[in-house]
Amino acid sequence: MVEDKDGLYLPAGSTAEGDWDLVITPESAGWGYSSLRVITLRPGQRVEFATGQSEWIVLPLTAGVDVTLGEQTVGLAGRDGVFAAVTDTAYLPIDSTVTLTGTRAGEIALCGARADRALPFRYQPASGVDVTLRGSGSHTRQVNNFGMGAGLECVNLLATEVLTPASNWSSYPPHKHDEAGGIDGSETELEEIYYFRFASAAPDSAMSARRAKPIGYQRIYGSADRPIELLEEVTERDTVLVPHGWHGPSIAAPSHHMYYLNVMAGPGAERAWGISDDPNHGWVRATWADRPTDPRLPFYTAPEQEAGDTR
């Protein structure tokens, strides 16, 4: 299992392969289930992709795309960016060949997990995504559960988007999900990928400030019997792998709002996000009930109605 800094922190561009801007596989990560790919498409550009033994969710980051499997095509309208709107998505089953065709220039993420059976190819409208706020005060964040909870049904894959306003702490209190049962019996074993994007919090009038390098920080730490250690400054399009251990906080600098895409999967028979809080920090949850959420959130909500484009 990869545990050194170089294996856990993957700078932007360091895993590019061919047409793909980012490629993380179970083999490259040194684990068994979770995957992530990101590709930039031009309008009309076509890329063929074999799903192999993994199921996938196609998630537009800054673009629109047609997704074709066999005789069926799903059109994803996408969005202008991850801080602009929630997006529609598509589910891809194992053992399939899929064609991605750009309809609007930008980036597409594919969130993947090893699976032992195929579910149907299908479309999820943006209006079907549960958008919730978690935490309170300076640790409030927005969660878009497109692939968790009431989101797309999957065999093993769990995926979500988290948006954290500038100066806030996210992924907190520190928690883990690396052993069945865990401390309180509710934990599930899941590998996790964090993929980061940022947006300037400076006003439009401060153009030089808006060009500043975005930064945030990600923490991972382990135990005496399972050591792991990372405290890393992250920037646009960086990735962090969490094979095990406590992770959090994810900290947004005062200058930039922070987004991360989480992709999770593991060997358990139950597809569930079960966590254990670090006992030294879990008490923080009890303080949330009487505190207001950050008034800057939500950045946006899911649309009430939306017509799916399936042809």
Side-chain angles (χ1 to χ4, degrees):
M1 183 68 68
V2 51
E3 296 184 357
D4 61 286
K5 172 181 174 178
D6 291 337
L8 299 175
Y9 167 62
L10 304 173
S14 62
T15 67
E17 291 184 12
D19 292 328
W20 299 89
D21 304 327
L22 178 150
V23 177
I24 296 170
T25 67
E27 291 78 15
S28 68
W31 56 32
Y33 294 89
S34 300
S35 297
L36 178 64
R37 289 174 174 260
V38 176
I39 190 168
T40 301
L41 294 178
R42 303 182 304 275
Q45 181 182 358
R46 295 164 59 90
V47 173
E48 191 171 87
F49 172 68
T51 62
Q53 290 304 301
S54 291
E55 59 183 348
W56 301 83
I57 294 177
V58 183
L59 175 80
L61 297 171
T62 62
V65 61
D66 281 349
V67 185
T68 302
L69 193 159
E71 299 299 318
Q72 187 177 10
T73 295
V74 166
L76 302 183
R79 53 189 169 180
D80 292 333
V82 297
F83 290 94
V86 71
T87 185
D88 47 357
T89 52
Y91 175 86
L92 309 178
I94 64 170
D95 296 327
S96 302
T97 299
V98 178
T99 300
L100 305 175
T101 305
T103 58
R104 185 174 59 178
E107 295 160 286
I108 308 294
L110 278 77
C111 312
R114 289 262 170 82
D116 60 5
R117 64 185 187 277
L119 297 178
F121 174 50
R122 61 197 184 281
Y123 171 85
Q124 176 176 252
S127 58
V129 178
D130 174 41
V131 177
T132 62
L133 301 186
R134 188 176 295 163
S136 67
S138 62
H139 41 267
T140 316
R141 57 274 199 191
Q142 176 177 333
V143 182
N144 301 340
N145 283 319
F146 69 92
M148 294 179 66
L152 275 169
E153 179 190 0
C154 302
V155 178
N156 286 329
L157 176 61
L158 294 160
T160 192
E161 299 179 303
V162 181
L163 296 94
T164 306
S167 297
N168 281 14
W169 285 37
S170 189
S171 195
Y172 198 82
H175 59 280
K176 71 179 184 74
H177 38 69
D178 59 14
E179 58 180 332
I183 294 174
D184 60 6
S186 65
E187 194 174 328
T188 51
E189 184 179 352
L190 298 167
E191 312 148 350
E192 186 163 16
I193 301 169
Y194 279 70
Y195 171 74
F196 293 91
R197 303 297 294 265
F198 294 86
S200 176
D204 291 341
S205 58
M207 292 306 297
S208 60
R210 293 183 68 83
R211 291 192 292 268
K213 175 185 176 181
I215 59 169
Y217 295 88
Q218 177 65 46
R219 178 85 165 100
I220 308 170
Y221 59 98
S223 57
D225 58 332
R226 299 192 74 187
I228 190 170
E229 187 68 35
L230 181 79
L231 176 57
E232 186 64 46
E233 180 179 289
V234 292
T235 188
E236 185 77 353
R237 297 178 177 85
D238 286 351
T239 308
V240 170
L241 306 182
V242 185
H244 63 87
W246 309 103
H247 42 290
S250 304
I251 305 171
S255 58
H256 286 81
H257 307 304
M258 181 170 68
Y259 162 100
Y260 52 86
L261 170 60
N262 283 148
V263 181
M264 295 172 282
E270 179 186 11
R271 175 181 173 253
W273 183 64
I275 67 170
S276 294
D277 287 336
D278 183 331
N280 294 316
H281 300 277
W283 61 268
V284 170
R285 291 189 188 276
T287 69
W288 290 350
D290 298 326
R291 295 184 182 180
T293 57
D294 190 316
R296 294 174 292 177
L297 291 175
F299 284 103
Y300 50 76
T301 59
E304 293 184 4
Q305 295 182 350
E306 181 176 296
D309 178 8
T310 303
R311 51 191 186 276

